[in-house]
């Protein structure tokens, strides 16, 4: 097993532990909504400190339920992850292409396979051979 595979496996195990440990340890069992998020926690703290506080802004869209709000947040996270993965993949592909161009490994793949195909096949056949007319053209 290569070093990169070991590191990737360890990182995957760490991410799984971060997802499972809060559930397994029962963190948040004493709360009404254990995993509501930082916005709800901040709102609760503000209303406890200053009950007369009025927000400066109101949301543009208020989802009808918490489940829809969670799904929209998950969709936003998925789109963000997709954009990041695309950018990282594009950057890696460009670096690999530059590395191939520097080493000359891409020379065989980058050459035009039709080289020589656009040469005049009728040269020397009598038409257009040195008389100033286009190849294959008869005047």
């Amino acid at each position: 097993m290569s070093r990169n595979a070991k590191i990737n496996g360890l990182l995957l195990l760490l991410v799984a532990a971060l997802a499972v440990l809060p559930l397994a340890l029962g963190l948040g069992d004493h709360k009404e909504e254990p995993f509501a998020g930082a916005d709800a926690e901040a709102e609760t703290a503000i209303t406890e400190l200053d009950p007369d506080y009025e927000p400066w802004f109101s949301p543009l869209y208020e989802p009808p339920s918490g489940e829809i709000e969670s799904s929209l947040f998950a969709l936003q996270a998925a789109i963000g992850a997709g954009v990041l993965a695309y950018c990282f993949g594009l950057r890696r592909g460009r670096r690999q292409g530059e590395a191939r161009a520097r080493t000359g490994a891409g020379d065989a793949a980058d050459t035009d396979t039709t080289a020589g195909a656009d040469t005049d096949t009728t040269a020397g056949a009598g038409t257009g051979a040195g008389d100033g007319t286009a190849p294959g053209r008869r005047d």
Side-chain angles (χ1 to χ4, degrees):
M1 183 179 279
S2 72
R3 182 173 184 252
N4 285 340
K6 288 179 184 177
I7 291 173
N8 288 341
L10 186 62
L11 287 174
L12 186 63
L13 207 72
L14 182 65
V15 168
L18 284 173
V20 172
L21 279 177
L23 298 172
L25 296 176
L27 299 177
D29 283 345
H30 61 281
K31 298 179 182 178
E32 186 177 321
E33 292 184 37
F35 302 105
D39 291 344
E41 294 288 329
E43 185 178 345
T44 304
I46 289 170
T47 54
E48 286 177 3
L49 293 173
D50 186 10
D52 297 330
Y53 176 78
E54 287 189 32
W56 295 356
F57 301 99
S58 62
L60 297 175
Y61 171 70
E62 188 75 36
S65 69
E67 290 83 14
I68 293 175
E69 186 176 358
S70 294
S71 64
L72 289 174
F73 182 73
L75 178 66
Q76 176 186 359
I79 290 171
V83 168
L84 278 175
Y86 173 77
C87 291
F88 286 142
L90 185 67
R91 184 174 174 194
R92 181 175 179 174
R94 285 183 179 166
R95 277 189 295 164
Q96 286 178 347
E98 289 171 359
R100 284 186 189 138
R102 275 183 296 208
T103 60
D107 288 347
D110 292 339
T111 57
D112 188 10
T113 57
T114 60
D118 57 351
T119 58
D120 185 15
T121 56
T122 60
T127 57
D131 59 357
T133 62
R137 182 176 166 189
R138 297 180 188 217
D139 291 326

